[in-house]
Amino acid sequence: MSFTGFSPETVAFLAELAGHNNRDWFAANKPRYEQHVRRPALAFIEAVAAPLEKACPCIFADPTPVGGSLMRIYRDTRFGGDKTPYKTNIGIHFRHERGDDIHAPGFYFHLDPKEFFLACGIWRPEAKPLAAIRTRIAEYGDEWMSIRKDKKFAKDWGSITGERLKRPPRGFDAEHPCIEDIKLKEFLGVCDLPRETMFSRKLVDAVVKVSATAQPLMKFLCDAMAIPY
C-alpha cells in the first residue's frame, strides 16, 4: 500500500473509539481499524524510511507490522486506574539505531482527533543517561544555550521542554546559568505539524524536513550518552 495521506475516516475512527473504548465495539469495528488506521500508518512509516535515514542516518523507520515503529493500540492496563483497553491515537516511534540496547534519543509521531505533532529528544531516560546529559549541560553550557537559541530549531520545535525537578539535582550548582534545564527529567522538542499535511503525501516531506532541524539537540543528547548521531 503506497502512502497518499491519512483520511478523514482515520480521525473519525479514533474519535469513535474514544467514545466506545471497549473490546466488543473494537472487535465489531476492527476492519475499519485495519483499513483506516493500521494500514495507512504502516504505509507512512515505509514511505518515510528512506528520506528519514538520509536526513538522520542513526534514526530508522521500521514498517514491520509487529515490533516495528508503529506502537501497539492495546494499552497496558496492569498499572494505574484507567482500565480502558485501547489507545485512541496513532503513535509511531522512530528509534535510534541503538534503541534496542539502550533508551536513546529518537522521534515520536502522534495523531489523534485533537493533536498532530512530532516530538524529538529523549523521554524519561534512566538514571545513568540522565546524569550524563545533565553533566554535559553543566560542562558545555554555551553549546547548550546555542541550541536553545538556534533559529531553525526554535522555529520548528519551540523551546526544549519536559517535566522538571522542583529543586536542583544533587551535585549540581544551584546558581549554574542552565540550572533550570539541568532540572529537566526529559529533554524534548515538540513540533505541531501542519494539519493540512495529514491527508496528503506531503506529510512525509514535512516530517523529514523538521527532523533535520532537530539535529543540534539530538546530537548533543547522543554525545552526552557517547552514541553516534
Side-chain angles (χ1 to χ4, degrees), residues 93 95-105 122 126 129 222 225-228:
H93 186 195
R95 294 190 295 269
H96 190 280
E97 63 185 11
R98 293 285 307 277
D100 289 339
D101 301 326
I102 58 174
H103 186 176
I122 189 166
E126 296 175 350
C222 288
M225 298 173 63
I227 57 177

Side-chain angles (χ1 to χ4, degrees), residues 37-219:
V37 178
R38 189 167 179 268
R39 289 177 189 169
L42 292 173
F44 167 65
I45 295 167
E46 185 170 7
V48 85
L52 181 63
E53 183 179 1
K54 185 176 180 180
C56 309
C58 292
I59 302 295
F60 69 97
D62 182 359
T64 304
V66 178
S69 294
L70 180 62
M71 301 173 76
R72 287 163 47 89
I73 196 169
Y74 305 100
R75 295 182 61 253
D76 185 347
T77 60
R78 294 174 298 171
F79 310 103
D82 184 357
K83 299 302 181 183
T84 52
Y86 305 105
K87 300 172 186 174
T88 56
N89 66 277
I90 294 173
I92 297 172
H93 186 195
F94 300 125
R95 294 190 295 269
H96 190 280
E97 63 185 11
R98 293 285 307 277
D100 289 339
D101 301 326
I102 58 174
H103 186 176
F107 293 93
Y108 169 72
F109 172 88
H110 182 101
L111 187 162
D112 71 27
K114 295 181 180 179
E115 296 185 299
F116 183 47
F117 66 84
L118 186 71
C120 68
I122 189 166
W123 183 77
R124 297 289 180 89
E126 296 175 350
K128 186 175 180 180
L130 177 58
I133 294 168
R134 286 171 169 167
T135 297
R136 188 168 181 85
I137 294 173
E139 294 178 351
Y140 295 88
D142 289 344
E143 180 184 351
W144 178 256
M145 292 308 298
S146 73
I147 295 170
R148 275 199 164 278
K149 295 176 182 178
D150 183 273
K151 291 182 179 179
K152 291 181 180 179
F153 180 89
K155 179 177 179 292
D156 288 337
W157 300 97
S159 61
I160 298 168
T161 187
E163 186 178 347
R164 282 182 170 84
L165 296 171
K166 292 182 179 180
R167 304 169 68 89
R170 183 177 299 178
F172 291 90
D173 181 5
E175 302 301 320
H176 193 286
C178 300
I179 193 60
E180 287 305 308
D181 289 341
I182 291 171
K183 288 158 65 174
L184 285 167
K185 298 179 182 179
E186 53 206 8
F187 305 85
L188 303 171
V190 179
C191 175
D192 290 320
L193 295 167
R195 196 85 182 174
E196 63 271 15
T197 65
M198 183 186 295
F199 308 120
S200 165
R201 178 68 170 69
K202 293 179 181 178
L203 176 58
V204 172
D205 297 330
V207 166
V208 173
K209 181 179 178 181
V210 297
S211 69
T213 63
Q215 290 203 31
L217 173 62
M218 297 289 281
K219 186 176 186 307

